[in-house]
Amino acid sequence: MQWGTLPSVNANIDLENDWKANLKWESRQILDDGSFSYNLSDFSLLLARKIGLNNSLAGGYLIRIHPEFTAHRSIQQFTIVQTLPSIRLAHRLASDQTFRSGRAPQWRLRYRIATELPLNGQEVDSQEAYFKINHEYLHIFRGGSYDLEVRLVPTLGYAFTDNNKLEAGWNVRTGGFLSGTPNHTVWFGVSWYRKW
Amino acid sequence: MRHFIGVFILVLLLLGAGHTNGYGQTKYEREFRLKEQEVPASAKKYIQQLESGARIKWYFEDDALDDAIEAKFKWQGQRYSIEFDTLGELEDIEIQCRFKELPQQVQEAIEKDLEETYNSHKVRKVQIQYLGEPEDLLALIRDGHQTAPHTTNYELIVKGKSPGGIHLYEVTFDHTGTKTKTARIVLRNIDNLEY
């Protein structure tokens, strides 16, 4: 089992004609022998277009910078948000392709379901805390092999305003289901979501 | 690494400089749960007189124009929302129903109005709203007896598509199906669920 931290900044900007941009920075630090060491950073830009009241299509690019390599990823995703009487469910269907020198390209097909539960009232209002959980399945294809990774991310969040939220919690990832060598990674993540 | 962080921040600033706010609007409610002991006695007494036996959830609602106290519960298969002012005086009673349960003439008038207003639309939620004297509404809801005239409105949540985009609206019609009010609903930011 590997442990580490996963801070991220998520900047969202409304553009003209139902377009919006999502910029994200995420960094990894690995806990090793009682001390943290820097691992890598991801920078991504997604452009999304609202195609319905509750659904949007997005595409973008991510660059992963590791001290020993650089990887490039193209991303496509479709999101639909269901509003039920007392809960909101967000479904995300995504695919991505990662290219890295000296390695076969990696293709992933992902499905994620997420919800947030206000700790007071029926909606998450400004200056209120909330609990968020998401669960994701990643089908991973690389050079003729296939594997499955499952993620569970329970977090506590606080909405300073509707456009300024801070979340902290665990990001538990289990991979290698089909390869016979399961691996577990537990990240402690802190994410800041800001919208302009 | 520093170079990439610099480029990232620059792109962020450039995009931020030209952004527009996508919501121009009108109806934004903020609510939080109330404990029963925080509810005015007159409001609690009114709900007790209904003799619904339902589990009541109390909320304080702030929609920028008016503060209100709201009792929400499910009774006889329908969702009730009974609104009081902050002193506990009854303001209105809303009962969720299906569009097809509205009087036929009202349905036709509303459909005609929505077709004329939007390129396409979908009714998401319908509530019958009763306004009147508290005792008269109590008799109407609890016993099914109309003891005095009251006002009936229909409050619809509508997803409407128009040249300006797809938006959610709260549209109010009177008892004849004539539109009296439209408010565009501010959708909450769900970026933290999408990304």
Side-chain angles (χ1 to χ4, degrees), chain A residues 11-12 14 16 20 38 54 56 65 81 112 116 120 122-126 132 162-163 165 167, chain B residues 1 4 8 12 19-20 30-31 33 59 72 124 159 168 188-195:
Chain A
N12 295 282
D14 273 338
E16 300 280 356
K20 64 180 182 181
Y38 171 78
N54 298 315
S56 62
I65 302 167
V81 180
R112 188 180 80 178
E116 65 182 12
N120 190 356
Q122 294 183 303
E123 297 268 6
V124 177
D125 295 311
S126 296
K132 187 178 102 174
D162 197 38
N163 293 331
K165 297 173 184 173
E167 296 179 354
Chain B
M1 172 61 75
F4 276 102
F8 186 75
L12 193 72
H19 88 281
T20 58
R30 184 177 188 275
E31 50 77 30
R33 194 82 184 261
Y59 297 92
K72 292 188 179 187
R124 285 281 192 88
K159 181 174 87 169
L168 206 59
R188 283 168 198 276
N189 176 10
I190 49 167
D191 291 335
N192 64 322
L193 288 176
E194 287 192 65
Y195 299 105

Side-chain angles (χ1 to χ4, degrees), chain B residues 163-183:
Chain B
I166 302 172
H167 300 290
L168 206 59
Y169 300 91
E170 184 183 275
V171 193
T172 308
F173 296 87
D174 68 12
H175 68 286
T176 65
T178 302
K179 184 163 62 189
T180 55
K181 191 177 141 196
T182 301

Side-chain angles (χ1 to χ4, degrees), chain B residues 48-195:
Chain B
Q48 282 162 4
Q49 286 175 319
L50 266 180
E51 298 168 358
S52 69
R55 192 164 73 94
I56 314 293
K57 289 182 178 175
W58 292 95
Y59 297 92
F60 185 87
E61 197 176 274
D62 171 13
D63 74 353
L65 295 173
D66 228 352
D67 291 343
I69 287 166
E70 205 168 17
K72 292 188 179 187
F73 56 95
K74 207 170 173 184
W75 184 33
Q76 295 172 339
Q78 290 180 299
R79 290 180 188 277
Y80 283 72
S81 174
I82 301 186
E83 199 167 295
F84 303 88
D85 66 17
T86 51
L87 298 174
E89 295 299 313
L90 181 73
E91 291 197 332
D92 67 31
I93 295 178
E94 293 174 341
I95 305 169
Q96 195 173 330
C97 68
R98 293 180 181 181
F99 186 72
K100 286 181 180 174
E101 291 169 0
L102 303 185
Q104 187 62 34
Q105 282 183 322
V106 173
Q107 281 185 47
E108 287 168 9
I110 292 175
E111 268 300 339
K112 186 169 180 287
D113 181 282
L114 296 177
E115 280 170 16
E116 286 171 0
T117 308
Y118 307 107
N119 294 345
S120 65
H121 69 272
K122 189 173 179 182
V123 176
R124 285 281 192 88
K125 184 179 168 186
V126 180
Q127 284 182 306
I128 302 175
Q129 180 192 49
Y130 295 114
L131 298 155
E133 290 302 317
E135 292 310 313
D136 298 332
L137 295 187
L138 189 65
L140 180 74
I141 302 303
R142 186 185 60 194
D143 312 322
H145 299 150
Q146 185 172 335
T147 53
H150 60 268
T151 302
T152 303
N153 293 319
Y154 303 103
E155 207 175 83
L156 275 65
I157 304 296
V158 178
K159 181 174 87 169
K161 186 177 180 183
S162 57
I166 302 172
H167 300 290
L168 206 59
Y169 300 91
E170 184 183 275
V171 193
T172 308
F173 296 87
D174 68 12
H175 68 286
T176 65
T178 302
K179 184 163 62 189
T180 55
K181 191 177 141 196
T182 301
R184 195 179 131 192
I185 295 171
V186 175
L187 296 176
R188 283 168 198 276
N189 176 10
I190 49 167
D191 291 335
N192 64 322
L193 288 176
E194 287 192 65
Y195 299 105

Side-chain angles (χ1 to χ4, degrees), chain A residues 108-112 134-140 146-153 171-178 183-187:
Chain A
R108 299 191 302 181
L109 188 61
R110 320 166 56 155
Y111 168 71
R112 188 180 80 178
N134 71 52
H135 187 42
E136 184 170 24
Y137 290 84
L138 296 90
H139 302 272
I140 304 166
Y146 162 69
D147 217 330
L148 177 68
E149 182 180 318
V150 179
R151 297 179 181 179
L152 187 67
V153 187
N171 186 321
V172 183
R173 301 178 180 185
T174 300
F177 273 99
L178 306 176
N183 56 79
H184 309 282
T185 314
V186 181
W187 303 99

Side-chain angles (χ1 to χ4, degrees), chain B residues 39-53:
Chain B
V39 176
S42 55
K44 280 193 283 193
K45 188 180 171 196
Y46 191 82
I47 295 295
Q48 282 162 4
Q49 286 175 319
L50 266 180
E51 298 168 358
S52 69

